[in-house]
């Protein structure tokens, strides 16, 4: 009964994490209200893009420190802070729209808060799901990741149904809706630790691959776990650095219960001070203390797998031999690594291309419709902007799923590199830019938004796995944080260039209204630049695949020589 209640509680916590993630991707809905906001405040397209870029800056620039904060303080404080920042960030936009006045630097600051709040709550939600389901982590984290991708679709659809054409009400929805969703999820979000009540009993068969496990009493189990636990540490928080392996904390008990060869194994483990470098011993030398604090089967290989993070999965030796578990490149070694800069460049180029369309699809809609039929009302333009934001969101969601399944197929069936998914993303972006340059009928603009979302989803769906395989799983959080700095740079460059191109075609009416009636020519030059950037990204991706292939061959040759 207790196991069923615990499983139910973890399920509720996972649902809460998914709800929280649904409120964290609202930066991608910016295009649904940015054109009307800029018109009301008489902002230039460049100024509007500065505000949008500030939101991207908040989302991507603080990945490393937020990851450290979540690790040290647990997920819940980050979720609470994220809810407050999103509410405080969006409400001033509504006030500025109502008053038709606002300082651009101040609006950039509030936009930054929305990105930062979304980043904090999202990281905490994903980590909670991973910790609650360590043996089903891929499935558990897929739901909050998918919800994040569908966030723009959710809010744009709710806005179009409840407040059609009302930008002020939509901004109110963003301020109140994001806070309410995250606060509701916060009430049910919790990390539930895994506390197995098993330990090994030697059966005399030193050469056996498996050993029988017996269930202990609750008091006996408490004593066995007492030395491993830090009673003042909340689940999901980092433990003190003096903690190495379970073996070191119960050394005397191990020596008493498992003499002979097992005692020598314990002595060997005592000398290992780095939890990430601990290696599993042979079955004949495994003791009670080597069993991780995880749920295990009644008859299982007693394989020691130490971890630097609470909730890491107990993996088999075949997985441990995977490159992501054998390498550990981070910090200064990461910055001096050629592959890091290759991947950093690819991420910057492709993410920047995607962000330019994501942040400006609303301007594309306005430009094409005012050329095609300048009699359409403002409410119609708002509904079309929200429709294209939804298309982008669904495309991103589909791309994330396809790249995840496709990359596994490439690795496990074809035996190829996951980086080939980046080639697909480059090609999809290339086709999207061609459509953007040639579509003059606004009814076909969905090809631009749909393909841009698909390419963006392909990029972000596979890139974390590539980073883990290239630089190791142990430093993934901080390495991914460094990698996501590249869209901050490229996104700003592409967005500001788009703004400059669009502003050069703007006509200001005597009453101060700003509009572009040149159709696709309003932004065509910006897409010529991103088309060239796609070609550069494709070349860099192919050279990276070639470089990785050569490096793996050298590693394989060195390993064969050592054997």
């Amino acid at each position: 009964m207790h196991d069923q209640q615990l499983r139910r509680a973890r399920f509720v916590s996972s649902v809460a994490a998914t709800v929280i993630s649904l409120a964290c991707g609202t930066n991608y809905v910016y295009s649904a209200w940015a054109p009307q906001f800029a018109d009301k405040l008489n902002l230039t397209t460049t100024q509007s893009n500065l505000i949008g870029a500030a939101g991207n800056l908040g989302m991507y620039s603080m990945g490393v420190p937020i990851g450290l904060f979540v690790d040290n303080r647990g997920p819940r404080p980050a979720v609470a802070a994220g809810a407050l920042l999103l509410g405080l960030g969006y409400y001033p936009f509504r006030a500025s729209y109502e008053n038709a006045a606002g300082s651009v630097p101040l609006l950039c600051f509030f936009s930054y808060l929305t990105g930062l709040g979304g980043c904090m709550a999202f990281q905490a939600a994903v980590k909670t799901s991973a910790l609650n389901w360590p043996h089903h982590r891929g499935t558990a984290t897929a739901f909050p990741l998918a919800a994040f991708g569908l966030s723009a679709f959710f809010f744009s659809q709710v806005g179009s149904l409840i407040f059609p054409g009302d930008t002020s009400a939509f901004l109110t929805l963003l301020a109140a809706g994001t806070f309410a969703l995250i606060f509701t999820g916060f009430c049910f979000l919790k990390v539930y630790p895994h506390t197995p009540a098993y330990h090994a009993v030697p059966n005399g068969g030193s050469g056996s691959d498996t050993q029988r496990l017996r269930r202990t009493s609750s008091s006996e189990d408490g004593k066995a776990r007492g030395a491993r636990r830090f009673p003042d540490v909340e689940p999901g928080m980092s433990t003190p650095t003096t903690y190495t392996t379970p073996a070191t904390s119960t050394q005397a008990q191990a020596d008493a219960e498992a003499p002979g060869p097992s005692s020598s194994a314990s002595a060997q483990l005592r000398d290992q001070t780095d939890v990430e470098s601990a290696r599993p011993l042979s079955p004949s030398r495994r003791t009670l203390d080597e069993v991780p604090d995880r749920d295990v089967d009644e008859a299982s290989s007693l394989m020691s797998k130490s971890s630097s993070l609470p909730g890491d999965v107990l993996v088999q030796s075949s997985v441990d031999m995977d490159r992501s578990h054998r390498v550990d490149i981070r910090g200064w070694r990461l910055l001096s690594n050629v592959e890091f800069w290759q991947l950093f460049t690819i991420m910057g180029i492709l993410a920047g291309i995607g962000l330019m369309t994501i942040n400006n699809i609303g301007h594309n809609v306005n430009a094409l419709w005012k050329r095609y039929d300048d009699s359409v009302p403002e409410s119609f333009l708002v509904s079309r902007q929200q429709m294209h934001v939804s298309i982008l969101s669904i495309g991103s969601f589909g791309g994330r799923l396809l790249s995840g399944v496709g990359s596994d197929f490439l690795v496990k069936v074809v035996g190829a590199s996951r980086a080939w998914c980046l080639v697909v993303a480059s090609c999809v972006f290339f086709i999207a830019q061609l459509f953007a340059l040639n579509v003059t009928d606004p009814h076909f603009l969905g090809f631009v938004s749909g393909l841009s979302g698909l390419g963006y989803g392909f990029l972000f769906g596979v890139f974390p796995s590539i980073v883990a395989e290239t630089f190791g799983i142990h430093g993934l959080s901080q390495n991914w944080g460094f990698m996501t700095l590249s869209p901050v740079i490229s996104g700003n460059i592409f967005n500001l260039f788009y703004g400059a191109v669009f502003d050069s075609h703007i006509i200001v009416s005597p009453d101060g209204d700003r509009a572009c009636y040149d159709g696709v020519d309003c932004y065509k030059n910006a897409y010529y630049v991103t088309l060239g950037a796609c070609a550069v990204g494709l070349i860099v991706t192919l050279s990276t695949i070639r470089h990785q292939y050569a490096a793996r061959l050298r590693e394989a040759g060195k390993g064969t020589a050592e054997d």
Side-chain angles (χ1 to χ4, degrees):
M1 181 63 69
H2 174 72
D3 291 341
Q4 291 180 352
Q5 292 176 346
L6 198 58
R7 186 179 183 86
R8 189 180 301 113
R10 291 194 183 107
F11 177 78
V12 171
S13 182
S14 296
V15 173
T18 303
V19 171
I20 290 170
S21 300
L22 193 62
C24 294
T26 52
N27 281 102
Y28 300 131
V29 82
Y30 179 69
S31 280
W33 57 273
Q36 285 68 41
F37 186 84
D39 290 343
K40 189 69 175 289
L41 275 69
N42 289 322
L43 301 177
T44 66
T45 308
T46 301
Q47 290 173 326
S48 177
N49 278 344
L50 272 175
I51 296 171
N56 296 332
L57 184 67
M59 175 63 71
Y60 295 114
S61 65
M62 299 297 287
V64 175
I66 289 175
L68 294 174
F69 176 81
V70 173
D71 287 341
N72 292 327
R73 304 292 297 177
R76 288 174 63 82
V79 171
L84 290 173
L85 289 175
L86 279 165
L88 292 174
Y90 277 120
Y91 184 76
F93 283 100
R94 190 258 184 189
S96 294
Y97 186 84
E98 288 292 323
N99 298 324
S103 167
V104 172
L106 198 58
L107 292 173
C108 287
F109 171 73
F110 288 120
S111 180
Y112 180 86
L113 292 184
T114 64
L116 181 62
C119 181
M120 293 185 75
F122 179 63
Q123 282 206 28
V126 172
K127 178 170 182 177
T128 300
S129 293
L131 293 176
N132 278 332
W133 304 96
H135 301 293
H136 307 280
R137 183 172 299 174
T139 302
T141 56
F143 286 99
L145 287 170
F148 180 85
L150 289 175
S151 181
F153 170 77
F154 173 78
F155 279 94
S156 62
Q157 287 301 301
V158 171
S160 62
L161 291 174
I162 302 178
F163 312 112
D166 192 340
T167 302
S168 178
F170 186 66
L171 290 171
T172 304
L173 172 68
L174 289 176
T178 53
F179 178 84
L181 284 175
I182 296 178
F183 183 77
T184 301
F186 172 81
C187 296
F188 300 96
L189 189 76
K190 186 178 180 181
V191 176
Y192 294 91
H194 291 255
T195 55
Y198 297 91
H199 70 74
V201 178
N203 59 4
S206 60
S208 175
D209 288 340
T210 63
Q211 295 181 356
R212 286 289 175 185
L213 302 175
R214 70 174 176 86
R215 186 181 298 272
T216 67
S217 65
S218 59
S219 60
E220 192 177 358
D221 177 59
K223 292 178 182 178
R225 293 197 315 266
R228 300 187 193 127
R229 295 284 183 210
F230 294 92
D232 296 330
V233 178
E234 177 186 351
M237 295 171 57
S238 296
T239 55
T241 55
T242 55
Y243 177 65
T244 56
T245 63
T248 61
S249 61
T250 53
Q251 185 60 45
Q253 181 180 348
D255 292 340
E257 291 187 14
S262 295
S263 298
S264 63
S266 298
Q268 178 180 348
L269 281 176
R270 187 188 305 116
D271 294 334
Q272 297 193 17
T273 58
D274 185 358
V275 296
E276 292 179 356
S277 63
R279 298 179 180 176
L281 301 177
S282 62
S284 62
R285 295 166 65 102
R286 290 171 186 138
T287 70
L288 158 68
D289 306 289
E290 295 172 79
V291 182
D293 194 12
R294 305 283 187 270
D295 293 322
V296 292
D297 295 328
E298 290 287 344
S300 61
S301 298
L302 299 182
M303 195 173 304
S304 175
K305 172 64 176 71
S306 57
S307 169
S308 62
L309 288 175
D312 276 359
V313 184
L314 176 65
V315 291
Q316 301 298 323
S317 59
S318 60
V319 180
D320 286 342
M321 293 306 294
D322 182 74
R323 175 180 169 83
S324 64
H325 291 270
R326 289 186 286 107
V327 301
D328 187 7
I329 302 173
R330 62 178 101 177
W332 291 111
R333 291 180 60 208
L334 181 76
L335 298 180
S336 61
N337 189 282
V338 174
E339 287 184 69
F340 166 75
W341 291 109
Q342 289 175 328
L343 294 175
F344 189 88
T345 302
I346 296 170
M347 168 66 88
I349 292 174
L350 299 185
I353 293 170
L355 286 173
M356 190 186 83
T357 297
I358 289 171
N359 287 346
N360 293 285
I361 192 66
H363 294 297
N364 291 11
V365 170
N366 281 0
L368 291 184
W369 274 106
K370 287 181 178 179
R371 175 79 174 186
Y372 186 82
D373 182 6
D374 61 356
S375 64
V376 295
E378 190 73 14
S379 58
F380 175 83
L381 291 177
V382 172
S383 66
R384 304 302 288 187
Q385 292 163 10
Q386 292 173 339
M387 183 193 74
H388 284 284
V389 168
S390 298
I391 294 173
L392 273 164
S393 184
I394 294 174
S396 176
F397 170 72
R400 291 169 192 264
L401 291 181
L402 289 174
S403 64
V405 176
S407 66
D408 285 341
F409 176 80
L410 285 173
V411 172
K412 296 177 181 179
V413 179
V414 183
S417 170
R418 294 183 194 271
W420 283 104
C421 284
L422 300 181
V423 174
V424 175
S426 300
C427 294
V428 171
F429 274 129
F430 190 87
I431 297 172
Q433 310 315 295
L434 290 177
F435 272 108
L437 289 168
N438 292 281
V439 168
T440 57
D441 187 336
H443 293 97
F444 297 102
L445 189 59
F447 286 106
V448 179
S449 53
L451 289 172
S452 295
L454 184 66
Y456 197 77
F458 247 98
L459 175 68
F460 277 89
V462 73
F463 223 97
S465 297
I466 294 175
V467 172
E469 288 185 350
T470 306
F471 309 115
I473 193 71
H474 303 297
L476 175 60
S477 295
Q478 58 182 281
N479 290 346
W480 179 244
F482 281 117
M483 197 65 68
T484 54
L485 291 175
S486 57
V488 175
I489 302 170
S490 60
N492 284 339
I493 292 173
F494 286 123
N495 275 306
L496 293 178
F497 182 71
Y498 180 101
V501 170
F502 203 95
D503 284 338
S504 66
H505 293 269
I506 286 288
I507 297 175
V508 182
S509 64
D511 57 358
D513 291 337
R514 306 172 60 87
C516 178
Y517 298 93
D518 295 338
V520 70
D521 291 332
C522 292
Y523 52 80
K524 178 178 282 188
N525 289 338
Y527 280 96
Y528 277 129
V529 172
T530 53
L531 183 68
C534 284
V536 174
L538 180 60
I539 293 172
V540 176
T541 301
L542 292 174
S543 66
T544 300
I545 294 174
R546 186 172 182 273
H547 180 270
Q548 288 183 343
Y549 180 72
R552 303 303 177 264
L553 285 180
R554 289 195 297 268
E555 287 181 5
K558 185 182 297 185
T560 303
E562 289 177 354
D563 292 340

